[in-house]
Amino acid sequence: MMTVAALTLSAGAAWFFLGGIEDSPQAQERLRLQNQLDTLRIRATAGDQKMQLALADLYRRAKPEMRDLAQAAQWYRRAADGGSARARFALGEMYAKGEGVRQDYAAAAKWFRLAAGTAGNAEAQFALGDLYFNGRGVGNDIGLAIDWYRKAAMNGHPVAQYLLGRMYDDGWGVDRDAVEAYVWYSRAIAGRARVQAYDSKLDPVADRAGLAAKMNRSQIDTAKRRLK
């Protein structure tokens, strides 16, 4: 297994560390990764935000034996401090999951909020809505959860769109509104796979069909006009 220490070596030192087995596919892969790390680190250290993100992604997404989540969090933080909405969201995710840092929902909420406000990051808006919905790191507040879900939904987040549809369908935190529910279920259909990856029991197609069976023609026509 490759240690974190080995990841900080130069490419030549890494080859020596691996015993010089240059024909081994595993060694070649590690040398390739090491070369990437060396190149990215030079530019990331100089303040290149894109390279900071790329380096963080590489540390976070590498194969398990080469992964270094603590380093990933460190480089995401540098990019986040520089204003990157994507880095702020990624750092929020890491705090929420306890990846490379101690799990801390309050810190996750802080970074999600910054990402959500910087450039309207839909993923961060949805994640912040989830924290308010579940009362993790912030107070349990259905109203604020719905506000953030709505922002994410308006930015095209399919799960947020589905959940808004469900809330209006069931009158959960909002007044029941069949037209509003139909509109949001309809918008979520294009992202059906994403909705079902979030929860396999959720299906905007089936739920819209069930809702439509209870609506009158005027309500359906109104919803369809809003979708144009």
Side-chain angles (χ1 to χ4, degrees):
M1 177 182 289
M2 193 173 193
T3 66
V4 172
L7 286 171
T8 64
L9 298 173
S10 69
W15 184 87
F16 178 79
F17 174 82
L18 292 165
I21 311 173
E22 57 184 321
D23 292 329
S24 161
Q26 294 85 356
Q28 290 297 314
E29 172 64 16
R30 288 171 178 171
L31 285 173
R32 184 192 63 78
L33 175 63
Q34 185 61 52
N35 283 328
Q36 282 186 279
L37 288 169
D38 288 343
T39 300
L40 290 172
R41 191 182 296 107
I42 290 169
R43 295 177 62 183
T45 301
D48 187 320
Q49 189 177 93
K50 288 183 179 179
M51 294 303 103
Q52 290 168 348
L53 280 167
L55 185 57
D57 287 343
L58 192 58
Y59 275 122
R60 190 181 185 193
R61 307 300 182 193
K63 292 180 180 178
E65 66 270 19
M66 303 178 187
R67 194 172 299 153
D68 190 329
L69 294 176
Q71 282 287 324
Q74 176 184 321
W75 286 105
Y76 280 134
R77 184 181 295 276
R78 290 183 67 164
D81 287 341
S84 168
R86 187 166 79 78
R88 288 171 173 177
F89 170 69
L91 198 53
E93 269 194 318
M94 296 187 84
Y95 273 109
K97 296 175 181 178
E99 289 183 351
V101 292
R102 180 177 58 82
Q103 189 176 54
D104 184 337
Y105 287 115
K110 166 195 165 183
W111 289 110
F112 286 150
R113 188 174 288 105
L114 285 170
T118 300
N121 183 292
E123 297 297 335
Q125 290 167 340
F126 177 76
L128 192 53
D130 258 3
L131 291 184
Y132 276 111
F133 187 84
N134 293 294
R136 291 175 175 166
V138 292
N140 179 241
D141 190 320
I142 298 301
L144 281 175
I146 291 170
D147 286 346
W148 284 109
Y149 285 150
R150 187 181 302 280
K151 289 176 182 178
M154 293 295 290
N155 275 329
H157 196 290
V159 183
Q161 291 169 339
Y162 172 85
L163 291 178
L164 276 181
R166 189 68 175 270
M167 288 173 168
Y168 278 109
D169 194 356
D170 296 340
W172 192 15
V174 292
D175 292 335
R176 270 190 173 170
D177 188 327
V179 170
E180 193 80 5
Y182 188 100
V183 167
W184 287 115
Y185 281 150
S186 297
R187 289 176 176 164
I189 286 173
R192 183 185 187 190
R194 178 99 184 267
V195 173
Q196 295 192 307
Y198 178 79
D199 186 331
S200 62
K201 298 186 293 296
L202 308 182
D203 187 351
V205 173
D207 287 338
R208 188 184 70 170
L211 174 65
K214 298 179 288 185
M215 294 170 69
N216 60 44
R217 172 51 56 189
S218 176
Q219 288 175 310
I220 292 176
D221 287 345
T222 299
K224 287 182 176 179
R225 283 196 298 271
R226 287 181 52 188
L227 288 165
K228 290 181 180 178

